[in-house]
Amino acid sequence: MRNDSRELKLSEGGGSQLEWRVLEAVAAAGEAGILQKDIWRLLNIDSRKGSRIIKRLERMGLVAREEVVHRGRKMYLLKPTPKLKGMPKIPDELDRIPCFYCPLLISCGELTKIISCERMERWLLDSGSLEG
């Protein structure tokens, strides 16, 4: 039996960046939609990996897949759902914070762990936030 709470979360780690890029492309296409094959080309991913991502996002209710015939071939048109349209957009500045994509985030429940995190310290130094 599937854990529904797990199913409703975007992947942790590197996979989530790819999921977000797919969501951004679908949202940018709007109601006109975007062909699934165009997503693969845009993000430079193979159809097998891309299909897994799309199916996951579809199960989460973020993307709708519509079967269409394009140039005589069956394809899928991806469109944003109301749930995707209602999601807040993370400002680019926040998207660069390493915590959002860190696979160790779950273990950082205490402030002392965050303060002593090497990745966070490196990001702060690189971004100039610790100058002075």
Side-chain angles (χ1 to χ4, degrees), residues 76-128:
Y76 288 102
L77 186 66
L78 306 175
K79 294 184 177 185
T81 63
K83 185 175 180 178
L84 175 58
K85 293 176 193 173
M87 287 180 67
K89 170 83 170 89
I90 297 175
D92 290 340
E93 300 80 32
L94 294 179
D95 196 38
R96 290 197 265 300
I97 296 174
C99 299
F100 288 145
Y101 304 106
C102 181
L104 305 174
L105 181 61
I106 295 171
S107 65
C108 290
E110 300 173 18
L111 184 59
T112 54
K113 288 183 180 178
I114 295 170
I115 292 172
S116 62
C117 175
E118 290 180 32
R119 292 178 182 177
M120 176 61 86
E121 185 175 348
R122 187 174 35 244
W123 175 77
L124 289 169
L125 289 170
D126 290 346
S127 67

Side-chain angles (χ1 to χ4, degrees), residues 20-52:
W20 281 111
R21 290 177 62 202
V22 169
L23 289 174
E24 286 174 356
V26 172
E31 289 303 315
I34 184 170
L35 290 173
Q36 198 169 269
K37 71 178 186 81
D38 292 337
I39 294 270
W40 310 161
R41 192 175 315 121
L42 180 70
L43 301 181
N44 195 27
I45 56 176
D46 63 79
S47 61
R48 184 176 178 177
K49 183 175 190 166
S51 292
R52 284 190 203 134

Side-chain angles (χ1 to χ4, degrees), residues 47-76:
S47 61
R48 184 176 178 177
K49 183 175 190 166
S51 292
R52 284 190 203 134
I53 292 170
I54 293 300
K55 286 179 183 177
R56 178 172 162 70
L57 296 174
E58 186 178 26
R59 279 194 316 267
M60 293 170 61
L62 297 171
V63 172
R65 274 187 344 152
E66 180 182 314
E67 194 173 297
V68 296
V69 176
H70 180 73
R71 296 184 183 168
R73 296 188 67 191
K74 181 181 96 168
M75 297 187 179
Y76 288 102

